[in-house]
Amino acid sequence: MNRRHLLRGLFGVSLALPFLESFSPRKAEAGAGDVPPFAIFMRQANGVVQQTNDEPEMFWPSQTGALTTESLNAESDRTVSELSAYASRLLLVKGINFAFPGNGCGHSGGGNQCLTAQKVSTDPVGNESLAMGESIDNRIARELNAAGVEPLTLYAGKKAGYINEVLSYRDAKVIRAAEHNPINAYKALFGLSDLDPEVLKRLAAQRKSVNDLVREQMQSLMSRKELGKADRDRLDLHFQSIRDLEIGLQCALTKEEVAAMEVMSPDARSNDNLEKVARMQMDIIALAMACGTTRAATIQIGDGNDSTEYYINGVRQKSFHKISHRIDSDGSEGPPIEGAYLLHHEIDRIHARMFRYLLDKLAAYDFGSGSLLDFGVAVWLNDLGNKYHSYTDVPYVLVGGANGYLKTGQYVDVNGVHNGRLLGTIGAALGCKNAAGGPLDDFGDPELPKGMLTEIIA
Amino acid sequence: METFSAPSSVMRRIPTLLRAGALVLACLLPACVGTIGGSSEDQAAVQSIPERSAFPRLTHAQWENSVRDVLRLEARPGFSASFTGDPLGGVFDNNEAVLSVTPNLWADYQRAAEELAALVVSDPAKVDALVPADEGQGNEARARAFIETVGKRAYRRPLTGQEVDKLVALFNEAPSLIEGDPFLAGVEHVLSAFFQSPHFIYRVEGTREPRPDGLIPLGAYERASRLSYLLWNTMPDDVLFEAAAAGELDTKEGLRTHAERMLADPQARDVVLAFHRQLFDWRKFEDLYKDPAVFPEFVPEIGKDLVREAELFVEDVVFEQEGGLTELLTSRTAFVNDRLAGIYEVDAPNGAEFGKVELDAEKRSGILTRAGFLAANGTARASDPIHRGVFVNLRVLCARLPPPPNNVPPLPPVEGKTTREIVASHTGKGTCGASCHGTLINPAGFAFENYDAIGRYRSEDNGFPVDAADAYPLGGGMVNFSDANTWSQLLAESREANECFAKNWLEFAYGRDAVVEDAKLIATLGEASRTGMSVKELLLELISSDAFSTRRPVEVAP
């Protein structure tokens, strides 16, 4: 059986023989188009060090236009130079703004908008505010995944409780919880990979038997006449969540990788493990895309106003949030942190390197006609622009052309376009449609001007 | 400025018009709450309680406890530690609005159900606890008896004949699906189905005939569940099931009698602690950083000590003193070990173990003058009046503060001044931050200036005398206080703090947001609390309410 057929099997058609060896990076025989395009979104908090009235440009290249490894390396003081090896697949988009004001807490309002392009709720407000519509990963999953298959929603770092998850919205004011523990995420997706085929077959039959009964019970509850809307939505979501076990290709990480996740499990939220956890989550995301498990994934780095204390040159720093404010306080009181913008820049680079790890992983899945990275697009985004926590010039860094749809190898400044246009164009690149059946050109709040971001389309 | 209101019991989800009215009133007459919903007396009974979910999902803690009790295990299985989490839903973890079965959680439930079932059948003692002994009655009869008894606990009500038949069919199908002993295969398969059933995952409440006033009385088993999840955070015990069957829960008196029995059980202590843990954010205590150069005594173990101290204090107030909010805010009883004794300037009566002491009446009052709250709302080196003030406003007074501005410039460091003077110069009267900070936040926080970053008492800050006196709008006028002791006393006597306490208990007890229909009950309970009602009595009153034992007919979704 060649890989082409194996991969086909992932997307709905059950295979006669489960493929039980570990799906590790390898060269495959498939042609282009075997992997439907996908999108991965990695979110950084607290803005980046880019040019403001009192701080120099340390993020973007000095010139827009074509990007080469050499041109990026020549400006090694800029954060994006960390991605120079991917110059030809890189698409730097400056000039993206959030369309709507926050509602009392810049972090919360930015998090609400960065993947939704929706208004920020008035109730609740402040750091509890929520987005007034779904996020792009949800849209992609809803439109392009098999029914009931969620976008993958992962997290790295602690949850300090001020703001936790910010990224993935099912609907207005309905945020999706993110999984912070890699072993849980892995088991949920690939936990049966090491089962014997006969055992797996029996398990599938057992599950079918229970599921049939549970579905019947659910339908009986849902057929009640006196159901309020919230309860109906609740039961619908539950009902859609029940899936039978499909015995298809089994995907797995190596035993060593899984064992490391098991070891990490009790401390997955600890400050010092953030980067390790992020890399484990990225291993899972890359595997999920290689196996066609889902078409959209998010990974949030740190909590809402990332209070992680990152290590720079081996020294544990003050919380990123404080550094981003340039003072030794989460509030308004505190002495300046000396050289804070340089520390912030180093933290930007830490994020760039975490993102590069994801790119390396995706690039390592070689499908002959191209690597996994070429079939999809990985996006490194922020929920704020700069140290002023602004909603303008919010950086979006894209890598991978979504199977040739996006025009990579360039740095564009789109000069103040709302982020719904960018997110919609990414959705369109994957195959999402507007209501009329055309490419998705109206993602986000209905008040926003419609249209594609043509500058980034090949 | 109309952007803030004085402390009030005004809640989220109150219709905009009503809320706007409350804001205007509040600005004219601070603390004029209780007016919302005050006219509900002449409204129909059906409008006196809000509509709510008929499918509140078990929290992860409730799932653990319920599994333990269904299976008669000695301890909680611990499987939920790997369940996908729930989004934040306000102060408490049991808000029905955010508890959904998502695909990820469904997969978690499924895996846990299968593992639990396999765990049980692998241990003959566990099987014997669930399945009647083989006395020649035949496997079909044994299976049926097992399904009826364990199923009643799993669904928290007797199963219908049809439900039993379907489960017997599932039992009989099992040997073709699961290897090994056919009878055990049936037990395993049915147990797995129980824990994946919506009747286990949700506290399903069905429709019943309305009373003459339009409200729908809950069924006896539904009442039993509401009672046990409220007071024990788990499913009903056998006594409660028998009471439901005997109709003892059909009256408010009957509910109260059983509630009193349950409150005397140690499981009720865990629930009372869970309320205070979440309301006062004790989780934060374990993750505090204090500059070791300034506070060498603040060793890492102190985090856990602060939580334990708070737990012992609340247990003492609620269960030993039979107290309420007043005692919570004013009791000077404390529990310290040798690490905490230094902070309170007392001797540790039991050394490394916790022992009971009475604190200096001049220096300490209730829970807001304890090291946990003060340190959690202190910076690495200094007191933090803004955060202390915001906490008291939000969690103790239920004040609706407007959100802070987006870009707050840092406070300038000023030499030779107190923390209070620095904060006031930036946010207080006469500054751009005057409206909220000057009136509400700063005074509520300045009251605690006698306590440093770890909660030690001090008379001087930065070499200057501490000034903890201020004024705050309570009860329709400005009230003055001299320090945290008098401030705590004023809070304990205030309508605002007592209504806030009642509102928080209502949200926790009912597992939902407080809404406009609850205003009258909150006002009543607040007044009772203000005049000395205990926490236990407050709980009993919540259980005696129509909002507890009836449902409002649902507006059907289109």
Side-chain angles (χ1 to χ4, degrees), chain B residues 180-261:
Chain B
D181 179 83
F183 190 84
L184 287 180
V187 171
E188 179 175 346
H189 202 41
V190 167
L191 284 177
S192 176
F194 279 153
F195 293 119
Q196 295 179 61
S197 169
H199 297 286
F200 174 76
I201 292 166
Y202 301 104
R203 293 190 272 140
V204 177
E205 293 176 351
T207 319
R208 298 291 188 291
E209 283 303 303
R211 309 190 299 212
D213 66 2
L215 290 174
I216 300 165
L218 291 183
Y221 288 94
E222 294 166 1
R223 289 176 179 216
S225 274
R226 277 203 182 174
L227 201 53
S228 65
Y229 282 99
L230 193 175
L231 293 176
W232 287 352
N233 216 26
T234 189
M235 57 169 282
D237 64 352
D238 290 341
V239 177
L240 210 49
F241 273 146
E242 283 162 25
E248 290 171 26
L249 306 179
D250 296 348
T251 63
K252 289 182 177 175
E253 296 69 33
L255 273 173
R256 191 181 167 98
T257 303
H258 280 277
E260 285 171 344
R261 167 184 78 87

Side-chain angles (χ1 to χ4, degrees), chain A residues 276-299:
Chain A
K276 280 187 205 133
V277 167
R279 287 195 290 271
M280 289 174 174
Q281 303 282 46
M282 287 167 177
D283 291 345
I284 294 168
I285 290 172
L287 181 67
M289 294 310 165
C291 294
T293 310
T294 178
R295 301 276 295 275
T298 58
I299 173 165

Side-chain angles (χ1 to χ4, degrees), chain A residues 104 207 209 216 226 231 238 332, chain B residues 53-54 114 166 189 207 404 411:
Chain A
R207 287 191 170 178
S209 161
E216 201 179 304
E226 68 299 344
D231 276 343
H238 184 163
S332 47
Chain B
S53 174
E114 289 167 354
K166 284 188 189 293
H189 202 41
T207 319
L411 290 185

Side-chain angles (χ1 to χ4, degrees), chain A residues 229-248:
Chain A
K229 180 169 186 317
D231 276 343
R232 166 151 302 165
D233 290 349
R234 180 172 292 120
L235 295 179
D236 277 345
L237 175 63
H238 184 163
F239 190 77
Q240 295 300 327
S241 301
I242 301 169
R243 297 185 70 219
D244 294 323
L245 179 62
E246 291 149 19
I247 306 178

